[in-house]
Amino acid sequence: MKRICFFSLLILSYLANAQAKKVTIEKSDYSYVDEEKFPGATVFIGDVIMHHDGAKLTCKKALYYQERNFFKAFGDVVINQGDTIKQTSDYSDYDANTKQALSWGNVVLTDPSMVLKTDTLHFDRINQKLYYKHYATIKDETNVLKSKYGNYYLENKKFTATTRVTVDNPEHNVVSNHLDYYTQYGTAYLYGPSTITNSQNENKIYCERGFYNTKTDISHFVKNAKLFLKERTIEGDSLYYDKNKGFASATKNIKVIDTVQNSIAKGHYAELFDFKDSLFITKRAVAISVFEKDSSYTHGDTLLVTGKAKNRILRAFHNVKIFKSDLQGKCDSLHTNEAIGLTKMYRNPVLWSEKSQITGDTIHLLNNSVTNKLDSLKVLNNSLIVQKDSLGKDDYNQIKGRNMFGKFEKNKLRILLVKGNAESVYYNRDDSGTLETITKEISSNIEFTLVDNEIEQIKYITSPDGTSFPPDKVTDDVVKLKGFIWRDDERPKVMEDIFIKDLSGKPLPKVKKGTAKIKEKPTTKLDSINTKRKVFLMDKLKDQ
């Protein structure tokens, strides 16, 4: 059986060789046979012209082995295939049976779309494929491509280049270890770690799989994509970038790093308009301000960041929540002007700091633009500060007024001014913690001076009207000021709580590469209140 198979292969090989077209010699200056020096070969000298199956070869000298249908060409070798492919080299071997050519020595191949230069080139005429194994340079109308290994497919004008690949033009430099490049369209498909660097402004793209059009400067990357701009870095599972429009969009596990402001924005979908200094993020969007020992997280259904560095404005819309280890907040919409350090909270805003809760129609927080520490606080219209009494189950110390203005020193609230219709309710306990009286006072304006978060002095702008009640004689209208609501169930206790929507109680889908949770800072017991001094202990409101 083995013999039958062997003879069958011999027959097929013989038939294939029999059907192969023979090389024809058009001309040469002269020829001779030297069996001793060139056994089996005819030597052709001077202006040699040969033809084989649509290809024409010219050279200075050739050895033609008729039985093998094979020849060797020497000196000024030129191979023409049709009217489009031309190759020159110093030497070339050609097997007419397999239609394989091997050329070496200053090899240059041209077709209408590119020029290829290398030292050694293989030409597979059956599959219309060129390949090299020791560096080549390919130049088309747009780019210069270099690589150690490569294949060029003549029919679809496609290069597959591997190992130390570069693609250069006056505007960009591409570095990769594997890419497919189409000379007709100037498009590159990148595989594995790759970078695209803008030669004019040093902007850079990194990816591990993607598409790049060198003519239109439009790119799309789908694995570990990063876009490095002058002031921002954008990361995402998928990234689209149009350099000429300055537009980028990203989806899934997005991270936008502001390298100037030391801030980060995350989400599942983002659009960046670089020329307009505008960034739009949705789907689990969060803006993170990074400090030395802490970070502040701001979430909204939609985040919009506009303006140049040092003058950026952050807008957050709907279901806005803030988390910092010492300060949390919630509102419907938020506006932060980084140039002046002013944050405005709108529509049913609330702030929490340890056991203190601050509410009003609008809340303003002002940071020192130089130190980035909390400088002052404004609570406008229907302002109310509530603090849970540590020793009472449903006891709450309260200060209410039309507006409140607070001043911070060294991250601690130093002065609190209540202006207009000021009211206060506080629980007075003795040194053992026993509740003695509940005091309610009314004045047009009250100013509190605090040291170490304890009231050191109370200044009444007008004479107060106050009454202290025994605990068993007090009524609800005394202990609960108008507008009182304890909203602790809405408070984000850990960072991940900012993504919970209160209406449904269900969190948005989590980012797979989620941020680690920050543990809630434990609260401490309230100190006792000195009745004679009418002290109302205020919990600290630290800087963000």
Side-chain angles (χ1 to χ4, degrees):
M1 184 66 183
K2 290 183 178 179
R3 291 182 177 179
I4 295 174
C5 293
F6 176 73
F7 285 119
S8 297
L9 290 172
L10 287 177
I11 294 171
L12 291 173
S13 176
Y14 172 78
L15 291 174
N17 289 331
Q19 293 174 354
K21 293 184 179 180
K22 292 291 184 179
V23 173
T24 59
I25 310 300
E26 180 179 327
K27 65 169 290 189
S28 69
D29 290 348
Y30 66 93
S31 63
Y32 65 90
V33 175
D34 187 341
E35 285 295 330
E36 182 178 347
K37 194 173 182 178
F38 306 110
T42 301
V43 181
F44 296 92
I45 302 295
D47 197 17
V48 181
I49 300 177
M50 299 180 177
H51 294 272
H52 181 258
D53 198 15
K56 176 183 176 181
L57 182 144
T58 63
C59 61
K60 295 298 183 182
K61 177 183 177 180
L63 301 178
Y64 177 51
Y65 298 84
Q66 187 171 2
E67 290 187 5
R68 295 165 51 193
N69 207 18
F70 179 89
F71 66 79
K72 292 177 174 288
F74 306 87
D76 297 335
V77 181
V78 179
I79 299 176
N80 290 280
Q81 179 177 278
D83 298 327
T84 57
I85 307 297
K86 179 181 179 180
Q87 176 191 295
T88 62
S89 64
D90 294 336
Y91 310 97
S92 185
D93 289 349
Y94 182 71
D95 188 331
N97 293 328
T98 61
K99 299 177 72 172
Q100 305 292 313
L102 174 62
S103 304
W104 66 98
N106 300 308
V107 181
V108 178
L109 184 141
T110 61
D111 75 1
S113 62
M114 66 88 197
V115 177
L116 183 153
K117 295 181 179 181
T118 186
D119 182 72
T120 304
L121 183 66
H122 299 260
F123 189 174
D124 180 351
R125 293 191 61 224
I126 292 178
N127 296 303
Q128 288 297 288
K129 181 179 78 170
L130 307 166
Y131 58 97
Y132 52 89
K133 297 181 179 181
H134 190 69
Y135 294 101
T137 299
I138 299 94
K139 185 175 181 180
D140 62 15
E141 62 179 8
T142 307
N143 302 290
V144 176
L145 182 150
K146 296 179 181 180
S147 70
K148 184 175 182 180
Y149 306 108
N151 298 333
Y152 181 58
Y153 301 89
L154 292 165
E155 290 185 358
N156 52 13
K157 303 186 184 306
K158 168 189 171 183
F159 267 106
T160 296
T162 58
T163 308
R164 300 178 185 176
V165 185
T166 62
V167 181
D168 294 298
N169 61 44
E171 295 184 357
H172 289 95
N173 168 256
V174 181
V175 177
S176 179
N177 266 330
H178 182 191
L179 63 78
D180 289 342
Y181 178 74
Y182 292 84
T183 58
Q184 187 175 1
Y185 306 107
T187 55
Y189 293 82
L190 308 169
Y191 306 94
S194 307
T195 59
I196 303 171
T197 304
N198 189 318
S199 304
Q200 299 173 334
N201 57 22
E202 299 301 318
N203 288 348
K204 183 184 292 185
I205 298 170
Y206 171 87
C207 77
E208 294 178 11
R209 188 177 180 88
F211 162 85
Y212 172 51
N213 190 319
T214 63
K215 293 184 177 181
T216 64
D217 281 320
I218 292 176
S219 50
H220 185 202
F221 310 101
V222 293
K223 184 177 180 182
N224 293 333
K226 297 180 182 180
L227 172 60
F228 300 90
L229 301 175
K230 183 178 180 180
E231 297 174 352
R232 287 187 173 106
T233 298
I234 304 173
E235 302 177 10
D237 289 357
S238 177
L239 178 65
Y240 171 90
Y241 182 52
D242 186 334
K243 174 206 161 189
N244 294 324
K245 293 182 178 179
F247 171 78
S249 65
T251 57
K252 293 185 180 179
N253 299 306
I254 300 159
K255 181 188 290 186
V256 182
I257 302 172
D258 190 321
T259 54
V260 177
Q261 296 295 98
N262 197 28
S263 62
I264 300 171
K266 294 183 178 181
H268 279 319
Y269 180 77
E271 292 183 359
L272 173 69
F273 299 85
D274 193 31
F275 298 158
K276 298 181 179 180
D277 293 292
S278 176
L279 173 66
F280 166 87
I281 303 179
T282 62
K283 297 182 180 180
R284 200 177 170 87
V286 57
I288 306 169
S289 297
V290 182
F291 304 106
E292 290 182 1
K293 297 181 180 180
D294 201 359
S295 295
S296 174
Y297 300 82
T298 301
H299 163 71
D301 289 352
T302 302
L303 298 182
L304 179 62
V305 183
T306 58
K308 296 184 179 298
K310 305 295 184 180
N311 290 286
R312 300 208 196 284
I313 292 177
L314 167 67
R315 297 176 177 89
F317 302 98
H318 309 307
N319 297 302
V320 177
K321 288 187 179 181
I322 302 169
F323 181 85
K324 194 171 178 285
S325 61
D326 55 6
L327 186 71
Q328 299 82 45
K330 178 187 173 184
C331 60
D332 178 74
S333 57
L334 175 145
H335 182 286
T336 297
N337 186 325
E338 294 181 355
I340 60 176
L342 178 61
T343 295
K344 298 179 180 180
M345 302 171 65
Y346 298 104
R347 295 187 65 182
N348 203 23
V350 56
L351 284 175
W352 296 276
S353 178
E354 294 189 349
K355 288 188 172 68
S356 294
Q357 172 186 288
I358 303 172
T359 57
D361 291 355
T362 303
I363 296 177
H364 292 183
L365 293 169
L366 184 63
N367 280 22
N368 185 302
S369 58
V370 177
T371 64
N372 204 30
K373 296 182 182 297
L374 192 58
D375 178 81
S376 57
L377 165 75
K378 292 182 182 180
V379 186
L380 305 177
N381 297 320
N382 299 308
S383 61
L384 176 65
I385 294 182
V386 180
Q387 186 182 64
K388 197 175 191 308
D389 185 79
S390 61
L391 301 178
K393 182 179 180 181
D394 294 312
D395 298 339
Y396 300 90
N397 299 308
Q398 303 154 61
I399 298 176
K400 177 179 172 58
R402 183 184 302 116
N403 301 312
M404 289 185 187
F405 304 90
K407 186 68 176 177
F408 291 83
E409 292 181 4
K410 297 180 179 180
N411 294 334
K412 295 181 180 181
L413 188 62
R414 174 63 175 166
I415 297 173
L416 180 66
L417 174 63
V418 184
K419 295 192 68 174
N421 304 323
E423 299 179 69
S424 64
V425 172
Y426 45 91
Y427 290 72
N428 307 304
R429 298 181 183 273
D430 60 21
D431 293 339
S432 65
T434 302
L435 180 62
E436 293 184 332
T437 60
I438 301 171
T439 301
K440 181 175 183 179
E441 291 186 331
I442 299 175
S443 178
S444 59
N445 303 308
I446 306 176
E447 182 178 284
F448 299 86
T449 302
L450 299 93
V451 174
D452 294 330
N453 302 306
E454 291 188 8
I455 296 178
E456 180 183 64
Q457 180 180 359
I458 300 176
K459 181 179 179 181
Y460 297 94
I461 309 304
T462 59
S463 299
D465 180 11
T467 305
S468 293
F469 302 87
D472 58 346
K473 300 294 184 180
V474 73
T475 57
D476 286 344
D477 62 324
V478 173
V479 298
K480 301 290 175 62
L481 296 178
K482 184 179 179 181
F484 169 84
I485 299 177
W486 185 240
R487 299 172 61 181
D488 192 62
D489 59 336
E490 304 174 39
R491 181 180 187 174
K493 304 298 191 303
V494 294
M495 190 281 292
E496 286 292 323
D497 289 350
I498 63 177
F499 300 113
I500 297 176
K501 286 189 175 182
D502 295 326
L503 293 177
S504 64
K506 297 180 180 180
L508 294 173
K510 290 186 177 181
V511 180
K512 293 181 180 179
K513 302 176 183 176
T515 307
K517 292 185 178 180
I518 296 177
K519 293 183 178 179
E520 181 187 8
K521 184 177 179 180
T523 57
T524 59
K525 292 185 177 180
L526 289 173
D527 294 331
S528 60
I529 299 176
N530 188 325
T531 306
K532 294 180 181 180
R533 296 171 60 200
K534 296 182 180 179
V535 175
F536 176 22
L537 179 66
M538 304 291 292
D539 275 19
K540 58 185 176 181
L541 291 172
K542 291 183 178 179
D543 168 40
Q544 291 193 58

